[in-house]
Amino acid sequence: MNLQNFEKALEQDFVTIRHSPENKMLWNQWRGSIPSDPLREAMIFACEFIVANEIELILADYTKMQPPSLQDQNWIAIHSAEILQHSKLKRVANVMGTDIFQQLSIETIYQIASQTPLPCESRDFMFKDDALEWLFSTE
């Protein structure tokens, strides 16, 4: 799969969101320390895009992102889950950075979001190739 063939859905200093309509896939790349308002706006945009475009697969790359605040983690988890529970998502692959605090922040978001029934399975990976292999596997 060629990740260069994705269409850009959103491009900002701290995030690039790409879309592959034929694969019903979204590819997010998050970068740096993101202020609360832009982070929340980008998350809502991504969630609404996922529902509107019937996205089934997500490759979320957090390798260059600084951990969001605890308040943002809670907000993201609650608001994202409210929207995504109505999605057609099947699998979400998170590519994690080496920063343990960043890894814990993503885990916290998923733990809080899991209080809302979501239609998808998610897994964490250290390498993009492993994440893509799992996303497209038939197991």
Side-chain angles (χ1 to χ4, degrees), residues 71-90:
Q71 293 85 1
D72 284 338
Q73 292 172 38
N74 280 305
W75 191 95
I76 289 165
I78 292 165
H79 290 84
S80 296
E82 286 175 5
I83 297 170
L84 294 178
Q85 69 179 331
H86 305 291
S87 72
K88 300 209 183 281
L89 273 178
K90 294 180 180 174

Side-chain angles (χ1 to χ4, degrees), residues 45-65:
F45 172 87
C47 292
E48 290 175 347
F49 189 93
I50 288 162
V51 172
N53 291 277
E54 299 185 344
I55 300 298
E56 296 178 0
L57 306 172
I58 297 177
L59 177 64
D61 185 342
Y62 299 108
T63 56
K64 297 179 182 172
M65 180 180 171

